[in-house]
Amino acid sequence: MGAEGDIAGEARRRRTFAVISHPDAGKSTMTEALALHAAAISEAGAVHGKAGRRGVTSDWMEMERARGISITSAALRFEYHGHVFNLVDTPGHADFSEDTYRVLAAVDCAVMLLDAAKGMEPQTMKLFEVCRHRRIPVITFVNKWDRPGREALELLDEIEERTGLRPTPLTWPIGTAEGFRGVVDRLDDRIVLYTRTAHGATRALETELSPDRAEAELGADWIRASEEVDLLGAIGADHDQKRFEAHESTPVLFGAALSNFGVARLLDVLVGLAPAPAPRADVDGALRPLDAPFSGLVFKVQANMDRAHRDRIAFVRVCSGRFERGMVLTHAATGRPFATKYAQSVFGQERSTIDEAHPGDVVGLVNASALRPGDTLYEGQAVEFPPIPSFAPELFATARVRDTSKAKQFRRGVDQLDAEGVIQVLGSDLRGDQAPVFAAVGAMQFEVVQHRLAAEFGAEIVLDRLEYSLARRTDAASAEILRRQRGAEVLTRRRDQALLAVFSDQWRMRSIQREHPELTLDPLIAGESPREV
């Protein structure tokens, strides 16, 4: 078999996906549970580091550990039943939607995690809209079924009503939420009983039952579950692979990540149903074949993951060809060569060297100071993938260093965080470099910036909030008019030199538009509603 056949075969073995959810739905716990079942780690962590359990491997920043949330995203690579999984972990907090949007540019499938008691929460819905926009197939996992929650049929109705996708349960719970006994596996026609292990830190025990034994051991819980399964069959809520891949239906599983109930089945479903990497469209709309020379998309840049080395890692999704460590690639944005001597797989703070990778894999390139999210790297014939747009900021603040003797560290830190996309950095001739404007989607982004500038660069800052609440892209001619308006300001985004007009509120912007209808004021992505994504 030739090299092209090897690449196609390796691509078919890959499953690259993300877990999306509202905060506290159990995303980090699910990440650990998936890796546990794939034997990547021996014991699952708990997000709050409770007694007898360690903290989750994928959360490494001190602020994440303290708050029990995910802020940064990690790329976890593990093997399972002959397949290579690339799980790109996403920030769970709503304030980091922009980072999640970038991550979703790198995946082929998403697992939507729902809390059994809360159902479709606001942040879940916002992230789902990004999946809808990108036509990313979605598998739904109803989590925390071992705690008090809602009726399973009620949750199915809500999923369909809110997402427009037809829910097709692959497993069905035996026992109500909190009284979880096991599941009916509709896909494989099995009845599975779960047995909890101590602290949920190892794989849950599974026992397969016959219908007669299920009735004898599970009684009324089994009778109710079997009747509901018959109802699902009667209404045609059965899996259809074509509709799933077309983003028209969502397979549904029930389980409890903390207890490791249903996690192994989710892995099996990802192997059997989730799409493998496919040719990706370039900026001109042409599909880049999987067996074409190497190309990759930078979807995330993260600095100082290793405090000992103060390095900077660019996470690259391999889109075509074979990556080999040491190869010299071309950076599409600059046309300059980029050497890949240091290539790693990053699992939280744990790293291992990657010598080769194939379509769907995620490679961490170390000391990638020239790379930014949305950049393309390639070998041979030039190619460039569509850039990853920025979200519309809603919060603005001027930043100044508390100790002026730390001005150099402050500037270096701001440049670094801007390059990573942690915050959008805006400036103007009026304000100068000593007082850049930070623009954020959520307030916690400001907290992260303050924390990282102090901890990593020794530059404590003072933030003064500005009374602006929305931004629009404008042009030079419009900027001249806008600079003379009250309740508005024109700032330049450092990253791409785009001119952004910022306004105190919608009313003020519309008032200015009425007076000057010739103004260019284009919405930015996700500016007013998720459907603008």
Side-chain angles (χ1 to χ4, degrees), residues 42-79:
S42 59
E43 195 174 279
V47 88
H48 294 291
K50 295 177 183 177
R53 296 187 60 159
R54 57 193 184 80
V56 293
T57 307
S58 58
D59 289 349
W60 58 272
M61 189 183 286
E62 179 183 336
M63 196 171 175
E64 293 177 294
R65 295 192 184 106
R67 295 189 178 217
I69 59 172
S70 292
I71 296 172
T72 57
S73 57
L76 315 183
R77 174 175 167 147
F78 51 86
E79 294 197 21

Side-chain angles (χ1 to χ4, degrees), residues 194-213:
Y194 293 132
T195 303
R196 186 190 304 269
T197 58
H199 304 294
T202 56
R203 299 186 186 193
L205 301 176
E206 298 183 3
T207 305
E208 189 169 341
L209 305 178
S210 66
D212 289 342
R213 187 177 166 193

Side-chain angles (χ1 to χ4, degrees), residues 388-420:
I388 303 174
S390 296
F391 268 31
E394 300 173 5
L395 304 172
F396 303 84
T398 56
R400 54 185 174 84
V401 66
R402 190 180 296 275
D403 180 352
T404 55
S405 69
K406 301 287 186 179
K408 185 176 180 179
Q409 293 93 320
F410 170 65
R411 286 194 297 270
R412 189 170 69 247
V414 170
D415 289 344
Q416 174 63 58
L417 299 181
D418 184 27
E420 290 182 35

